Amino acid sequence: MTKQIINPDSIPKPMGPYSQAVVTAGGKFVFISGQVPEDVKGNLIGKGDIDVQARQVLENLKIMIEESGGAMSDIVKITIFMVEINSFSYDCLGKLRKEFFGADYPASTMMEVKRLAKPEWLIEIEAWAVV
């Protein structure tokens, strides 16, 4: 199987030995690593505010899918990891989903985790797409 590695300069560099996204043979499947609430320079966006962090994470996810040759509408599955699931505004989540995905929402799993790779991160989202 051939694959293309995607590590754009417009989002933070990976923290370790992994790729931000991998596109499989012929560009059909795209697997996007968990996106975090940092800007291109690695600065935290929305310290202590999960709604602001969620927006930054989705902005980074949008960059990743576009760099991989697709669009947000090509995302078929997301997994949302949060350190405090009760701190998230479900109204905010609904608005963000409508804004970023339109009417065709991807399948979704949301889970609470003990912590993420950096203690100031409150949310991380990974995605799978078919382009």
Side-chain angles (χ1 to χ4, degrees):
M1 174 172 80
T2 61
K3 62 183 178 180
Q4 176 187 7
I5 304 300
I6 308 291
N7 284 313
D9 292 331
S10 50
I11 64 169
K13 298 291 180 212
M15 289 179 51
Y18 66 90
S19 300
Q20 290 286 16
V22 176
V23 181
T24 62
K28 295 190 183 262
F29 298 104
V30 180
F31 302 93
I32 301 173
S33 294
Q35 297 301 299
V36 298
E38 292 184 350
D39 66 14
V40 66
K41 295 179 181 176
N43 298 314
L44 175 68
I45 303 298
K47 182 177 182 178
D49 187 331
I50 195 165
D51 293 342
V52 172
Q53 288 192 17
R55 173 173 290 284
Q56 182 64 43
V57 167
L58 287 167
E59 291 287 353
N60 290 346
L61 187 61
K62 184 173 188 272
I63 290 168
M64 287 306 308
I65 190 63
E66 290 173 355
E67 287 282 338
S68 301
M72 292 296 280
S73 59
D74 295 321
I75 294 176
V76 297
K77 171 73 168 84
I78 61 173
T79 305
I80 304 169
F81 305 93
M82 293 188 300
V83 294
E84 178 58 55
I85 204 163
N86 292 328
S87 68
F88 195 71
S89 162
Y90 289 96
D91 288 338
C92 178
L93 177 60
K95 289 176 188 173
L96 288 172
R97 284 179 190 259
K98 288 177 186 175
E99 178 181 340
F100 282 89
F101 295 106
D104 295 326
Y105 305 117
S108 179
T109 300
M110 182 184 296
M111 67 183 78
E112 183 174 84
V113 295
K114 186 174 182 177
R115 64 179 162 240
L116 296 169
K118 288 187 179 179
E120 62 268 17
W121 295 347
L122 304 175
I123 186 169
E124 182 173 342
I125 301 175
E126 68 177 17
W128 294 12
V130 178
V131 295

